[in-house]
Amino acid sequence: MRAALILQCGQLPVVAAHEPPPSGGVRVAVTAAPITPLDVLCASGTSYFGAPPVPYVPGVQGVGALPDGTPVWFATDAGMRPGDGSMAEYCHVPPADIVELPPDADPALVAALGLSAVAAWQSLTSCGDLRTGEQVLVLGGGGIVGQAAIQIARLLGARRVVAACRSSRARSRAAALGADAVVPLLDDDTVPDLAARLRPALDGPLDLVLDPLFGVPAAAALQVLRPGGRLVNLGGSAAPTAPFDSATLRSGSLRILGYTNNSLTKPERAETMRTIAAHAAAGRLTVSYEAVPLSDVSAAWQTQSTGSATSRLVLLLR
């Protein structure tokens, strides 16, 4: 079969013939596989999982079909544990990591949503406890998590959703997906400056912040949260630390919560993925993505690894 192969950690994948060693699990004919930051990190050999044995097929998630034709989404441990992932024509997957999809779900869209949409959904619900009628601020609203979060907050009954985005493309995207107001994030932002731009975009108390950025954006968001408000952090793409102080937290009795998909059980992940796929199939949930053929995996991987991707890159295997 054809597959994307990591021959050496830190190098671009190449397309080659590959026959995986015999293993258990269900044989899935792969249709689409996203190239995610986690894939790139694992293949670099610098993640906390350690350097993976090479050669291996990357891809921590994908969409395909079972032998009987049933469409499925699936997860793998590729790059985190020995074994192959989704970026091949076929993948052997444990049954517990397979989720049946609606027959009319778009494989490329579901692949693009994937675990990023799972993180957005769970951050807003089980972690952030979003309630009907609340106002939500989505930091990084142009990213995949942010795009999903804007729409999910709406689906869950938020009365108002505000997005903060860095590029003009991201701001236009957030507005098109339903954000009531969009605030620019600037490279030279200070906490007071950004907080001053956020305040007029809000309509009444801000109840919940979804934060995949941390750094100055998170600190500014804390300045405009209502007393007792919640901030859910699920990433640090802006900075690994944030400049906020004890007085800000104590004076507002604010709550800062951390989220990772690793906290989910496999049944919880599967149920969330089924919900996301159902909304996507019904036209209620989408994200921007670019479909690329397997033959272009090296160039697409380079685009993702340099941070120049403007949408989710999804490999098409069929």
Side-chain angles (χ1 to χ4, degrees), residues 222 226-229 244-256:
L222 292 174
R226 68 162 173 82
F244 55 83
D245 53 46
S246 173
T248 297
L249 299 182
R250 290 182 291 110
S251 63
S253 297
L254 303 180
R255 284 181 282 165
I256 299 178

Side-chain angles (χ1 to χ4, degrees), residues 138-150:
V138 177
L139 300 176
I144 300 299
V145 171
Q147 291 177 54
I150 291 168

Side-chain angles (χ1 to χ4, degrees), residues 103-275:
D104 53 346
D106 178 348
L109 174 57
V110 173
L113 285 161
L115 291 171
S116 294
V118 168
W121 188 282
Q122 289 289 338
S123 293
L124 290 170
T125 57
S126 64
C127 190
D129 194 25
L130 175 61
R131 300 167 190 138
T132 300
E134 289 192 320
Q135 182 168 211
V136 177
L137 169 63
V138 177
L139 300 176
I144 300 299
V145 171
Q147 291 177 54
I150 291 168
Q151 299 163 86
I152 291 168
R154 284 286 191 209
L155 289 171
L156 295 173
R159 69 174 177 85
R160 184 174 173 84
V161 180
V162 177
C165 310
R166 193 163 301 279
S167 70
S168 59
R169 181 199 298 264
R171 293 193 290 273
S172 297
R173 186 177 288 159
L177 292 173
D180 295 287
V182 183
V183 176
L185 298 173
L186 307 178
D187 290 337
D188 58 352
D189 266 334
T190 65
V191 173
D193 287 344
L194 180 52
R197 287 204 304 281
L198 289 170
R199 286 191 182 94
L202 302 173
D203 179 15
L206 174 61
D207 303 286
L208 177 61
V209 178
L210 185 135
D211 168 38
L213 304 182
F214 215 49
V216 167
L222 292 174
Q223 295 286 329
V224 298
L225 260 178
R226 68 162 173 82
R230 298 95 67 201
L231 181 146
V232 178
N233 174 261
L234 65 161
S237 61
T241 60
F244 55 83
D245 53 46
S246 173
T248 297
L249 299 182
R250 290 182 291 110
S251 63
S253 297
L254 303 180
R255 284 181 282 165
I256 299 178
L257 306 160
Y259 175 78
T260 170
N261 278 342
N262 293 335
S263 65
L264 296 178
T265 65
K266 289 185 179 182
E268 288 171 336
R269 183 181 67 189
E271 181 59 30
T272 307
M273 195 64 232
R274 277 191 288 269
T275 301

